[in-house]
Amino acid sequence: MKIGVFDSGIGGLTVVKSLLEHKLFEEIIYFGDTARVPYGIKDKNTIIRYAIEAVEFFKNFDLDMIIVACNTVSAYALKEMRDSAKCPVVGVVEAGVQATTNSLEDKNSNILILATKATINSKAYENLLREKNYNNLEAKATGLFVPLVEEEIYNGEILEATFKHYFKDIKKPDAIILGCTHFPLISKALSSYFNGTKLIHSGEAIVQELEKNFTFSKKYNDTKLQFFASENPTALNNIAKKWL
Ligand code: DGL
């Protein structure tokens, strides 16, 4: 199986990490649109246009599947990507919702959704959760975490200050959906701030979804990786070495 993983930038590497840990694929072609990140503050039409361009890029490879690691793209452009791709396109939002409901039997559980402004405005997570009768939801755009993670700030004073800023009125939820590629990198800090609340990670969620919906007859210990970026591929390669 040869797949493409698409993200607005470097954040999707957190999803690649999960895919590698579960040894699902023989080859992964990663494309990060580093020249145009962040997508999380852009409008719907722009996000769709960029996403279709990514599908065009992936047509250079003979892919079996495209995984959209970016929550913002998954929230807005999955249908359009599916319409123009020649292979299945899988997003992280449905997978994240499924992983959340699998881990919370009680439909009255309090769920906090953290994501970019665009993802929160789309209500993609909220709508799917409400369809499944989970209605105790709080959604919070926490876009400042994105540049902090890109600065490799995963803990410490600055991050704590942003937690206080965003979460001052928020009580400990039963689960937090990390609805943005970058947020798994601050999961330790979030978990200690919220005193052990359950965290839902897109990468792990997509692995669960894939294993449920597709047959994987073989484990790949030595997945071939190729990284492409619309700007500064060297920086992407360096961060990939560090994160993966
Ligand atoms: N990859 C984006 C997401 O998961 C976060 C970064 C951005 O705003 O582009 O929503």
Side-chain angles (χ1 to χ4, degrees), residues 110-146:
N110 292 303
I111 303 170
L112 174 62
I113 303 153
L114 304 180
T116 63
K117 203 172 267 179
T119 302
I120 296 297
N121 288 343
S122 75
K123 296 197 184 293
Y125 277 104
E126 278 175 276
N127 291 342
L128 285 176
L129 285 162
R130 285 189 202 285
E131 271 174 29
K132 292 172 184 270
N133 292 322
Y134 287 78
N135 291 306
N136 274 335
L137 311 176
E138 177 127 32
K140 188 105 195 147
T142 52
L144 278 176
F145 296 156
V146 172

Side-chain angles (χ1 to χ4, degrees), residues 170-242:
I170 291 181
K171 285 201 213 89
K172 182 184 170 186
D174 296 308
I176 300 177
I177 297 182
L178 304 174
C180 172
T181 46
H182 291 60
F183 299 175
L185 285 145
I186 53 165
S187 59
K188 265 197 196 138
L190 278 167
S191 180
S192 84
Y193 184 90
F194 283 105
N195 202 8
T197 284
K198 199 170 289 181
L199 302 177
I200 309 293
H201 176 325
S202 298
E204 290 306 307
I206 200 106
V207 167
Q208 280 176 26
E209 267 311 269
L210 290 169
E211 286 181 333
K212 196 176 87 192
N213 295 324
F214 298 90
T215 308
F216 294 91
S217 45
K218 205 174 151 186
K219 291 276 178 202
Y220 296 95
N221 288 313
D222 212 4
T223 301
K224 187 174 168 215
L225 291 167
Q226 286 190 75
F227 297 102
F228 294 89
S230 51
E231 183 179 271
N232 202 346
T234 310
L236 175 71
N237 269 285
N238 289 340
I239 201 101
K241 272 186 207 137
K242 232 186 239 178

Side-chain angles (χ1 to χ4, degrees), residues 39-139:
Y39 283 12
I41 52 167
K42 297 196 165 64
D43 74 18
K44 182 180 172 182
N45 291 337
T46 306
I47 295 163
I48 291 174
R49 179 159 54 86
Y50 291 173
I52 291 172
E53 286 172 17
V55 173
E56 288 308 310
F57 169 77
F58 281 126
K59 284 183 184 163
N60 292 305
F61 308 89
D62 191 18
L63 297 180
D64 296 303
M65 182 188 296
I66 296 171
I67 293 182
V68 182
C70 182
N71 288 259
T72 307
V73 172
S74 299
Y76 283 98
L78 218 50
K79 184 188 171 301
E80 289 76 2
M81 289 183 78
R82 284 178 176 151
D83 288 346
S84 69
K86 294 190 177 119
C87 59
V89 179
V90 184
V92 285
V93 173
E94 278 175 28
V97 167
Q98 196 57 53
T100 309
T101 57
N102 286 348
S103 68
L104 294 173
E105 265 177 38
D106 182 0
K107 296 203 189 257
N108 291 317
S109 302
N110 292 303
I111 303 170
L112 174 62
I113 303 153
L114 304 180
T116 63
K117 203 172 267 179
T119 302
I120 296 297
N121 288 343
S122 75
K123 296 197 184 293
Y125 277 104
E126 278 175 276
N127 291 342
L128 285 176
L129 285 162
R130 285 189 202 285
E131 271 174 29
K132 292 172 184 270
N133 292 322
Y134 287 78
N135 291 306
N136 274 335
L137 311 176
E138 177 127 32

